[in-house]
Amino acid sequence: MKQKFVQLVIKNFRGERNGNLLGRMFCIAQKDAEEIRGLMFKLNLSNILIFFGSFPFILLSVLSVLTFDSFLGYNLDYLASLYSLVIACFICGSYWRIFLNNQKIKINLFILSNILTLILFFGFLILTNSQFILLAIFVFIFLLLVDIYIFKINVTDLNYIRTRLCVTTLVVMALIILSLN
């Protein structure tokens, strides 16, 4: 029996949705395929960076499971609180560009992102690290819900929402593990 091999190539294209450039995309497709229908692998820089952003959370939770109390001289809960503050504020800041470029969004993302940033900032100053981690978990889930809303009005693409869902789940689980140890 003769086995047939399908030659695959990496195709490079610019991802776009509703006129918004989503970045450079790569996929593996059959050679000489006119259309890319069944993507086997789709990768863009923003999704890679989103996953890299979750590594400190995972590292801190693994260290807590291994019964470490500190990393580089800092308490693990403090590092998780600080990094949660940074990442949540970064996500809030990313909403400004989305809101400026889209008239479809009914939620004022300027006000929402400022309110969340202030809640997180004052929470970081006032709450204990354990309490702040709990606040951060709720904020990360809320930010994911905002991203799902933005997706449902056709501003972002499904690949981005899948990535955000995966990473938010990882981050929330890592923070829960960290807070339980």
Side-chain angles (χ1 to χ4, degrees):
M1 183 164 128
K2 193 173 188 181
Q3 193 172 11
K4 182 179 178 183
F5 289 97
V6 177
Q7 204 169 13
L8 300 175
V9 295
I10 296 176
K11 289 201 173 193
N12 184 359
F13 60 98
R14 289 226 173 264
E16 198 173 301
R17 180 179 180 137
N18 298 332
N20 295 327
L21 183 64
L22 301 174
R24 177 167 256 159
M25 307 280 195
F26 302 90
C27 71
I28 298 173
Q30 290 183 353
K31 188 173 183 176
D32 298 327
E34 290 181 24
E35 291 183 29
I36 303 170
R37 289 194 180 154
L39 293 180
M40 294 171 51
F41 182 75
K42 186 170 158 185
L43 180 71
N44 70 33
L45 183 60
S46 66
N47 291 348
I48 292 170
L49 294 175
I50 291 169
F51 272 106
F52 280 153
S54 69
F55 288 159
F57 292 109
I58 296 166
L59 173 67
L60 294 172
S61 68
V62 168
L63 289 174
S64 75
V65 168
L66 297 174
T67 66
F68 284 85
D69 292 330
S70 63
F71 181 69
L72 299 174
Y74 294 97
N75 177 282
L76 295 181
D77 287 343
Y78 172 75
L79 289 174
S81 296
L82 182 62
Y83 193 65
S84 294
L85 175 66
V86 169
I87 293 299
C89 289
F90 178 80
I91 294 169
C92 286
S94 72
Y95 289 152
W96 282 56
R97 180 178 106 28
I98 293 169
F99 191 65
L100 281 171
N101 293 335
N102 294 283
Q103 307 303 320
K104 300 179 201 175
I105 300 173
K106 303 291 185 221
I107 300 171
N108 188 325
L109 293 178
F110 292 150
I111 293 172
L112 179 66
S113 66
N114 277 332
I115 290 171
L116 287 174
T117 300
L118 289 171
I119 288 170
L120 287 165
F121 175 71
F122 287 110
F124 183 77
L125 294 177
I126 296 168
L127 301 174
T128 65
N129 289 327
S130 300
Q131 293 169 335
F132 184 81
I133 288 172
L134 184 62
L135 173 65
I137 289 170
F138 286 116
V139 168
F140 283 132
I141 292 169
F142 182 77
L143 291 171
L144 177 64
L145 294 174
V146 171
D147 278 335
I148 290 170
Y149 163 76
I150 293 169
F151 164 73
K152 287 192 176 203
I153 58 172
N154 293 321
V155 175
T156 57
D157 70 341
L158 182 60
N159 191 38
Y160 173 76
I161 287 301
R162 285 181 180 155
T163 303
R164 279 280 285 123
L165 180 62
C166 246
V167 170
T168 300
T169 303
L170 275 171
V171 167
V172 167
M173 288 173 54
L175 289 174
I176 289 171
I177 290 169
L178 185 65
S179 65
L180 293 176
N181 286 322

